[in-house]
Amino acid sequence: MKLRLPKGHAIDLSYTKVMGTIALTEDDTRSIEDLVMLAKSFVQSGAEFLEVGAKVGCKGLDETRVSSVLGAVLNAVKVPVAVNSNSKEIIEQAINAGVAMIITNDGLASEGVMDLVKDSDVLICLHYEPKNKISDDEDIVAKVSEYFFERIDACLEAGIDRKRLVIDPSVVNASVSARLKLIGRLESFKSFALPMLVAIPRQLPKEDHFMNENRVLSLTTAIFCAAAKSVQIIRTSEVAEVAIAIGFWQLMSSKTKPYGISKAIVRRLRTLRDTLRDLKNHHKDK
């Protein structure tokens, strides 16, 4: 499977990729220079995509902050960059600046956004975040699937090519049990025949004490997603750890892969090893 990017570029999705997430909040004190350094470190640590946007639940963030950080990151890295927003103003500025993907949790339903996006060539990631918390008694997969059916149809009816669509079934506003059930049933979403993203560790419920104390579970989940071949891109702020976990798993299972891909995975792991060693030495010098 290949993901077609704007301007005729494409990325091979034959093995799971990592998207480094830069989440902004209204009380974020990091400078743009700090965030650019973070973006570069994500790329050095194995991220092949980057994402810039407001943290889930953050509603007081100045839109100009997102646009400023996004512009600086786009100028600093060579990997595809996504913006996570429902705002028409931010999305318009992002498209003009050269983003590769729009991540939206309202399915481009905000006024004027569908028309704006359909006339571009950016990818569209449909992400579901319900207004009301999903309980244990509700079928979370059915709810997410219903949302995807509705918004995919809306995009197609608006004239958006299906090849520009990707999906992300990650849900935060749900019970602990419901969110874990969703991870276990990710293969259900293969029926949409679209590339799939999943946010880890965000999908893991931090309100569960055991999971919050044992963050290694996020790496286990990442390996599960890669092994099941249901997820093509993992969105994470824990780039180095997730990239190494996925790369190591892919290396162990490489006997079933074409020789060229196996060599590519080995090179990737070596690069990650050398990068992490350099980063550790840099911190020691400080």
Side-chain angles (χ1 to χ4, degrees):
M1 179 187 294
K2 285 194 174 182
L3 188 63
R4 302 292 177 184
L5 301 173
K7 300 179 181 179
H9 298 149
I11 287 187
D12 181 17
L13 296 180
S14 57
Y15 57 90
T16 306
K17 309 291 188 183
V18 176
M19 175 182 282
T21 299
I22 300 175
L24 306 174
T25 62
E26 63 268 26
D27 57 353
D28 197 330
T29 59
R30 294 172 295 180
S31 68
I32 290 182
E33 290 74 18
D34 290 337
L35 294 168
V36 167
M37 287 182 63
L38 177 62
K40 288 181 177 180
S41 72
F42 280 169
V43 175
Q44 291 175 339
S45 299
E48 297 183 57
F49 296 85
L50 291 176
E51 168 194 352
V52 176
K55 188 175 182 179
V56 175
C58 175
K59 299 180 180 180
L61 184 64
D62 185 352
E63 291 186 353
T64 58
R65 167 78 165 163
V66 176
S67 298
S68 298
V69 173
L70 179 64
V73 169
L74 281 166
N75 289 330
V77 300
K78 294 183 179 180
V79 300
V81 178
V83 65
N84 189 337
S85 179
N86 298 324
S87 164
K88 180 182 177 183
E89 290 72 23
I90 290 179
I91 291 174
E92 184 171 19
Q93 291 172 15
I95 291 173
N96 292 335
V99 296
M101 181 188 294
I102 305 296
I103 301 175
T104 168
N105 62 21
D106 72 354
L108 305 180
S110 298
E111 185 177 354
V113 172
M114 185 73 79
D115 289 335
L116 172 66
V117 172
K118 77 175 183 180
D119 293 329
S120 70
D121 59 353
V122 296
L123 297 172
I124 301 150
C125 176
L126 300 173
H127 171 224
Y128 180 54
E129 198 56 61
K131 294 181 179 178
N132 299 316
K133 188 171 184 177
I134 298 176
S135 66
D136 291 348
D137 298 330
E138 299 176 274
D139 187 338
I140 188 169
V141 172
K143 277 189 165 292
V144 176
S145 296
E146 182 181 358
Y147 168 80
F148 283 152
F149 278 120
E150 177 190 334
R151 298 320 301 167
I152 289 170
D153 283 347
C155 290
L156 297 179
E157 288 177 9
I160 295 174
D161 192 328
R162 187 180 180 87
K163 293 179 180 179
R164 292 173 57 195
L165 301 179
V166 299
I167 57 175
D168 184 346
S170 309
V171 176
V172 172
N173 195 18
S175 68
V176 171
S177 177
R179 287 160 72 177
L180 294 178
K181 285 178 183 176
L182 181 66
I183 292 175
R185 295 175 61 190
L186 284 173
E187 285 209 359
S188 303
F189 300 103
K190 279 187 174 181
S191 60
F192 289 99
L194 293 172
M196 192 188 313
L197 287 71
V198 168
I200 297 173
R202 191 166 68 84
Q203 179 61 26
L204 297 175
K206 286 187 178 182
E207 59 268 34
D208 182 280
H209 179 72
F210 177 77
M211 291 184 189
N212 195 36
E213 292 295 321
N214 294 273
R215 302 310 293 162
V216 71
L217 290 173
S218 65
L219 307 184
T220 307
T221 307
I223 293 173
F224 167 77
C225 291
K229 300 184 186 300
S230 54
V231 177
Q232 283 68 51
I233 302 173
I234 292 179
R235 298 164 56 203
T236 183
S237 58
E238 299 176 1
V239 172
E241 295 88 344
V242 170
I244 287 177
I246 293 174
F248 191 65
W249 166 255
Q250 289 165 340
L251 181 61
M252 289 192 298
S253 60
S254 62
K255 63 182 180 180
T256 62
K257 297 179 180 294
Y259 180 66
I261 294 179
S262 298
K263 287 181 68 177
I265 293 170
V266 172
R267 286 196 301 270
R268 179 181 175 192
L269 277 175
R270 286 174 178 165
T271 300
L272 286 173
R273 177 200 63 193
D274 295 342
T275 298
L276 288 175
R277 184 185 297 154
D278 292 342
L279 288 173
K280 286 180 180 178
N281 291 337
H282 176 70
H283 287 306
K284 284 181 180 177
D285 292 341
K286 285 188 172 182

